[in-house]
Amino acid sequence: MSNLIRTRKPGHALQQPFYIDPEFFKVDMELIWYRDWLFVGHDCEVKKPGNYFTVQVGAYPVVVVRDREGRIRAFHNTCRHRGSRVCTSAKGGSARLVCPYHQWTYDLDGKLLFARQVADDFDPAAHSLKPVACESVGGYIFICLASEPADFAPFRQVMAPYFAPHRLTEAKIAHEETTIEKGNWKLVWENNRECYHCAANHPELCKTYSEAPTMTGVSGTDSDPEMVEHWTRCEAAGLPSRFNIDAAGQYRATRAPLLPGTESYTMTGKRAVRPNLSDQVNTDRIGSLMLFHYPTTWNHVMIDHAVTFRVIPISAEETALTTKWLVHKDAVEGVDYDLQELTHVWTATNHEDRRIVEENAFGIRSPAYEPGPYSQVHEGGTEQFVDWYVSFMASRLGGQKKPGLKDVA
Ligand code: FES
Ligand SMILES: [Fe+2]
C-alpha cells in the first residue's frame, strides 16, 4: 500500500487494489475504522434510559444505550461470560441488558449485576461490559473503537455551534433505510463529494440542489457572491453558516443556498413538513447546512427536516449506507407530512447513486482500469477526500507524505 501511495499520480483516482483488494480493506479497517471517531446514530434514537441500538463496525459488534442518568454510553456487545452478543436486535428498550445465552445481566452503565451459580470467589466487578468511547454533539452520537481515542474536542468545537439551533437532540426519526452498495466505501465517498454526475443522473435532486462546484467543493468559496450573501443573511439570523474545514480535511461544515424559490429537498421544492424542524429556527431561505465527517457521515439540515447519512463498510466491495429523515418531534405522519413526499428525492437519489457506485466498481475490476484525472472544475471535493485518505494512510503507515491540502482554504 505504501508503494502505491508513493507512486499515485496526484489529481487522479486511486489504483485498483484500494477498491477491491481484501488485504487493503483490512488495512483501511485497522488504520481508519478501528481508530477514528465514527458517527453511528442520533441521540433521539435512545430517548429514554434503557433505549439502545446496535451497530456492527467490521469485526466489532457495539451497543449504544442511554443509562439511568441520561448519559449515552457505548459497549462492546460481547458478553463477559462466553462472548455471546448481549443485544441481538437493531433497536430496543430494556431496564437491564440481559445476555440471551445464560442470562448474565448488566446494568445500563455496563456493570455486571447478576450471574447465576458462579464460583464463590467470582468477581462481578471484573466482568463489566467493555466500554467503547462515546460522545454526542448536536444530536449525533460518535463512537471510537481505539483504546486511546483522538481528542474529540476540536470537532465538537466546530460542529456544535452549527447544529445547536436545529435542536436535533429533540427531533424524531420519520423514516430510515439502509442500502447495500456493491462497491468499496471510498467509492461511495468519492461519488458523494462531487456533483459532476448530478445533471445526468439526479433529476429529482437537481430540482432543488445546485450542481455548482462551490456546493461540494472544498475551497472556501468566499469569491462566490451568492454564498457570501447566504452566509451573511443566515448568520445575522443567528445561524452559523460560513465554510469551516479542519486543518487535516477530515470534517467540514457550511450552509449552502438551495436553488432560488426552493426550501427543501422535495419534487416541488416546497417544504415537506409543516412545523419547522426546530422551534428556534424561523428564518426564510436557510438552504441546507451541510456537514461531512470522514469516514462515516454527510448531512443536510433544512428548515423543515434533516437527512443524515451513515457509511459503514462491510467488505472490500460492499458498503452499507443508512439514511435517516428527521422531523420535529411533534410532527405527525399523514397530518403534518406525507412520508412519500418527504423521502422521495433522497430515496431516488440514493438508488441512482447506488447504481453509479456499482457501475464504477464494476469497471474498476477490469485489468484494463487505469486511474484517470479529476475535473479541476467539478471534482475538487473528491480530490480532497482522496487526498485526505492518502495522507491519513501514509502517516499511519509511517510514510513521509505530507497532507495534500492544496484546495483547502
Ligand atoms: S455468554 Fe452471555 S451469559 Fe453466557
Ligand atoms: Fe449522486
Side-chain angles (χ1 to χ4, degrees), residues 191-192 194-195 197-198 201-202 205 346 349 352-353 356:
N191 176 54
N192 170 260
E194 50 93 354
C195 220
H197 70 277
C198 290
N201 291 281
H202 294 319
L205 186 63
W346 275 107
T349 304
E352 292 147 7
D353 280 329
I356 287 169

Side-chain angles (χ1 to χ4, degrees), residues 173-188:
I173 310 278
H175 188 63
E176 68 174 272
E177 64 170 31
T178 295
T179 313
I180 307 298
E181 306 193 6
K182 292 194 182 69
N184 185 271
W185 68 274
K186 297 186 289 296
L187 291 180
V188 174

